[in-house]
Amino acid sequence: MKRFLPVLLALPLLLATACGDDSPTSSSPSGGLTKITVANAAVTNSASLVLGVEKGFFRSQGLDVKLKDTPPASTQAAVVSGDAQFGFTNVPAILAGASNGLPVRIVGPAGKFARDNDKVHIQVVVPKDSSIRSAKDLEGKKVAVDTLYQLPHLSFIVSARKTGVDTDTIKFVETPFSAMADALAKGQVDATDLAEPFLSAALQKGDRSVLSNGSGFEPETVQTLWITSASYLAGNKATVDKFTRALKKSNEYAATHDTEVRQAITTYTKTSEQQSKQLLMPHFSATTDRDNFQTYLTTMKDLKVIKNDVDLDELFIR
């Protein structure tokens, strides 16, 4: 398998930015509220926080939250530069940054893989008439992934390896999620590693899942996270604590209010109400398990995506 390092391309810029302002702060309190900007991504995994803002959980902690739609690849840069005080990212991305000295810290969990692998929101899909019947049959085939060495791709590798698949024999083809169905129909790839809302649409039209990206992990393991910068934490610990408390309440509420979570998704993504009812949803809870951080770290070092080790204790706010 040819090796690329796209996950690291933005790191020189990130590190240069990190050397700028050492103490970014929130806007001055207005009306008793501290204004903060949160770099959000238009994905289902951030739904609990969006819902928590709508329900007033952050305002009750004294926080006036501005959600800023931010491409995931730009989130850590926004947080480190102070353009946003908090942001959404995923486990592989934060490990890649930390391995190169990027000063970010984990505030709390966003979305997790579901307990039931059949309901995990990222799965490998083939056409209904494909000769591929299992993950093992993917050896030697072409598989579309959204971005090399990012969350879907790496969770695929972890899960496929656990079932005995030699992933080095697979040719991974970078393909936007929106273009995967066409690539599959034209025979340009043999399988697609799909995330929602594209996954449920493919399954509803008859395509088959041959591997859940959650099968290589313990059930309900965190995949996406909310972060802040080390410098913001140092100068604004009280605000970070308030954010953490509001996030905890948001995740706990989302875990027991599925209908409201699905409705919230329609407010910041292009998902319609009808589509939202069919989505395979991430799991939400207030805990941040750490075993899968080591699993990703080991896999990324094996693939030579990163070279330096990461002190996981330093990443987590104590």
Side-chain angles (χ1 to χ4, degrees), residues 182-201:
D182 187 54
L184 195 62
K186 291 180 177 178
Q188 296 170 346
V189 295
D190 302 295
T192 56
D193 194 21
L194 284 173
E196 289 291 20
F198 305 97
L199 173 59
S200 55

Side-chain angles (χ1 to χ4, degrees), residues 260-279:
E260 290 184 56
V261 173
R262 292 176 186 274
Q263 177 59 39
I265 288 170
T266 68
T267 66
Y268 68 99
T269 73
K270 296 180 180 179
T271 307
S272 69
E273 288 194 20
Q274 184 58 39
Q275 288 175 320
S276 72
K277 295 176 182 178
Q278 309 300 322
L279 295 177

Side-chain angles (χ1 to χ4, degrees), residues 73-314:
S74 303
T75 299
Q76 294 190 75
V79 169
V80 170
S81 70
D83 287 343
Q85 287 70 57
F86 302 91
F88 173 91
T89 190
N90 61 67
V91 176
I94 198 173
L95 291 175
S99 74
N100 283 271
L102 196 65
V104 293
R105 299 291 182 265
I106 296 169
V107 178
K112 302 182 176 186
F113 281 148
R115 171 165 292 277
D116 183 348
N117 279 324
D118 290 339
K119 296 182 179 179
V120 166
H121 59 282
I122 311 174
Q123 298 184 35
V124 181
V125 168
V126 299
K128 57 184 177 182
D129 58 353
S130 171
S131 61
I132 297 173
R133 311 302 299 183
S134 69
K136 188 69 174 175
D137 294 333
L138 294 170
E139 292 182 347
K141 301 296 193 300
K142 295 180 181 179
V143 178
V145 293
D146 180 55
T147 306
L148 291 168
Y149 304 115
Q150 280 295 302
L151 173 60
H153 182 206
L154 285 168
S155 60
F156 167 88
I157 290 176
V158 170
S159 297
R161 285 180 170 182
K162 191 167 185 179
T163 64
V165 176
D166 182 357
T167 56
D168 287 339
T169 68
I170 298 173
K171 181 177 181 181
F172 295 102
V173 183
E174 278 193 312
T175 311
F177 286 126
S178 59
M180 286 187 186
D182 187 54
L184 195 62
K186 291 180 177 178
Q188 296 170 346
V189 295
D190 302 295
T192 56
D193 194 21
L194 284 173
E196 289 291 20
F198 305 97
L199 173 59
S200 55
L203 295 175
Q204 287 165 27
K205 77 173 186 180
D207 289 347
R208 292 184 290 104
S209 172
V210 294
L211 179 70
S212 164
N213 283 46
S215 60
F217 303 87
E218 290 298 314
E220 299 176 359
T221 52
V222 67
Q223 304 297 318
T224 51
L225 308 147
W226 296 100
I227 60 170
T228 190
S229 68
S231 57
Y232 185 78
L233 173 64
N236 301 274
K237 181 63 164 57
T239 300
V240 174
D241 287 345
K242 291 176 181 179
F243 185 93
T244 302
R245 288 194 292 269
L247 178 61
K248 180 177 184 292
K249 187 170 183 178
S250 298
N251 281 325
E252 290 173 343
Y253 187 86
T256 57
H257 293 78
D258 180 71
T259 300
E260 290 184 56
V261 173
R262 292 176 186 274
Q263 177 59 39
I265 288 170
T266 68
T267 66
Y268 68 99
T269 73
K270 296 180 180 179
T271 307
S272 69
E273 288 194 20
Q274 184 58 39
Q275 288 175 320
S276 72
K277 295 176 182 178
Q278 309 300 322
L279 295 177
L280 295 173
M281 294 293 292
H283 174 73
F284 297 106
S285 81
T287 61
T288 305
D289 50 285
R290 293 174 53 170
D291 289 348
N292 64 324
F293 285 78
Q294 187 60 54
T295 298
Y296 276 119
L297 183 59
T298 300
T299 302
M300 293 169 77
K301 290 179 71 174
D302 178 65
L303 295 170
K304 296 181 171 56
V305 178
I306 59 176
K307 296 181 180 179
N308 302 320
D309 210 347
V310 175
D311 183 355
L312 295 180
D313 289 335
E314 189 174 62

